[in-house]
Amino acid sequence: MRFLSNLINGLGLGSVYAIIALGYTMVYGIAKMLNFAHGDVIMIGAYIAFFALTRFGLPLIPGILVAIACCTLLGVIIERLAYKPLRQATSLSVLITAIGVSYFLQNGAQLLWSANPKVFPSIISNGALHLGALSISYLTLITIGTCIIVMIALTLFINRTKTGSAMRACSEDKGAARLMGINVNGIISLTFAIGSGLAAIAAVLLCANYPTVTPTLGSMPGIKAFTAAVFGGIGSIPGALLGGLLLGIIEILSKAYISTQLSDVIVFGVLIIILLVKPAGLLGKNVREKV
């Protein structure tokens, strides 16, 4: 029963990683770039949600919507100011810029709100659902349920809408998509907006589980979510879900049965093994590039 409880807790943590990983995998799938500032957008979303719920006294849902709206706008601004001018630049230039944006957001948050930790308010009941000897917290159920809803909504959007078709076309071939009349720059901006909005949702779920807000809040979750995206196959939305869930399960089981200090080592070690066996990730596809 203890194993089943840890497994469910792993799914809860993995659901947060999966939502964050979606931002990485969508941007990479369409813009073919790694937005390493994504973890810091999560941090900004956590601060905005914190102030919306505490200082301004907004109810839970409006507070979360404010955080989503602000992060969505921030994602578009970052793309327009930092990444759009580098469309034809080398991958190294984009990578260095992403790291610069990350440090800019971290230090900006520290100047605005200080480095002192802030305690995120309790937003979900501490109760639990009891199924015989098994106890599942409401927070874990809500986290898993939110991940399922996000995945279904995003999958329907990508596969059933005209904009989603345009996004898939840009992912396949930007040049051909532009010739077909698709606004490629607009699609890339929309991708950043969606990914950043999802970062705000992940921020609230993360702070509900670990209620401390600091300027470095998004660093480690961001790295682990990127690991999850690579694990599942970066560029693949189902891969982001699978990678996130597996990463969460591995981390929780490692902490429960091996060592809390070695859990991160085990997580990244499993990633290395998977990539040695399947370099494109579990659901990724090997793509041949013409040179």
Side-chain angles (χ1 to χ4, degrees), residues 187-221:
I187 292 297
I188 293 175
S189 293
L190 177 62
T191 304
F192 270 86
I194 294 173
S196 299
L198 293 176
I201 297 174
V204 173
L205 294 174
L206 187 65
C207 290
N209 285 275
Y210 306 98
T212 303
V213 184
T214 65
T216 57
L217 165 73
S219 298
M220 186 53 72

Side-chain angles (χ1 to χ4, degrees), residues 7-46:
L7 185 64
I8 294 172
N9 290 333
L11 288 174
L13 178 61
S15 295
V16 178
Y17 289 154
I19 294 173
I20 302 172
L22 286 172
Y24 283 108
T25 207
M26 287 183 66
V27 169
Y28 182 82
I30 293 174
K32 295 297 183 289
M33 61 161 288
L34 299 173
N35 178 25
F36 281 117
H38 189 61
D40 299 289
V41 176
I42 296 169
M43 176 268 296
I44 297 295

Side-chain angles (χ1 to χ4, degrees), residues 1-16 129 131 133-145 209 245 248-250 252-253 257:
M1 195 59 66
R2 182 189 172 197
F3 175 80
L4 186 57
S5 178
N6 287 325
L7 185 64
I8 294 172
N9 290 333
L11 288 174
L13 178 61
S15 295
V16 178
L129 175 66
L131 300 173
L134 179 64
S135 179
I136 308 172
S137 70
Y138 292 141
L139 178 56
T140 299
L141 291 173
I142 291 174
T143 303
I144 295 173
N209 285 275
L245 295 179
I249 291 171
I250 292 169
I252 293 297
L253 293 181
Y257 297 106

Side-chain angles (χ1 to χ4, degrees), residues 41-256:
V41 176
I42 296 169
M43 176 268 296
I44 297 295
Y47 271 107
I48 292 171
F50 171 80
F51 287 116
L53 296 173
T54 56
R55 183 169 299 180
F56 297 101
L58 294 179
L60 178 59
I61 299 302
I64 294 174
L65 292 177
V66 168
I68 292 173
C70 290
C71 284
T72 299
L73 179 61
L74 177 63
V76 173
I77 292 172
I78 290 173
E79 191 277 327
R80 290 291 176 89
L81 296 181
Y83 299 139
K84 187 177 179 181
L86 300 176
R87 285 280 193 271
Q88 307 304 320
T90 62
S91 299
L92 182 60
S93 299
V94 178
L95 178 62
I96 293 172
T97 300
I99 295 172
V101 172
S102 173
Y103 280 109
F104 175 81
L105 292 176
Q106 282 188 27
N107 286 278
Q110 186 168 339
L111 289 173
L112 284 174
W113 302 308
S114 82
N116 296 326
K118 293 176 171 53
V119 180
F120 200 83
S122 178
I123 58 176
I124 299 173
S125 169
N126 292 325
L129 175 66
H130 298 281
L131 300 173
L134 179 64
S135 179
I136 308 172
S137 70
Y138 292 141
L139 178 56
T140 299
L141 291 173
I142 291 174
T143 303
I144 295 173
T146 301
C147 178
I148 293 172
I149 292 171
V150 166
M151 284 300 305
I152 292 174
L154 189 59
T155 301
L156 290 175
F157 174 77
I158 295 294
N159 294 324
R160 300 290 181 86
T161 67
K162 186 176 180 180
T163 303
S165 297
M167 293 174 76
R168 285 186 281 122
C170 290
S171 177
E172 290 292 332
D173 191 324
K174 291 186 187 63
R178 190 175 286 111
L179 292 174
M180 295 299 293
I182 295 173
N183 182 355
V184 174
N185 287 330
I187 292 297
I188 293 175
S189 293
L190 177 62
T191 304
F192 270 86
I194 294 173
S196 299
L198 293 176
I201 297 174
V204 173
L205 294 174
L206 187 65
C207 290
N209 285 275
Y210 306 98
T212 303
V213 184
T214 65
T216 57
L217 165 73
S219 298
M220 186 53 72
I223 292 172
K224 288 183 178 179
F226 172 69
T227 301
V230 175
F231 196 178
I234 193 162
S236 167
I237 291 177
L241 174 63
L242 178 61
L245 295 179
L246 288 177
L247 200 74
I249 291 171
I250 292 169
E251 181 174 338
I252 293 297
L253 293 181
S254 299
K255 288 180 177 178

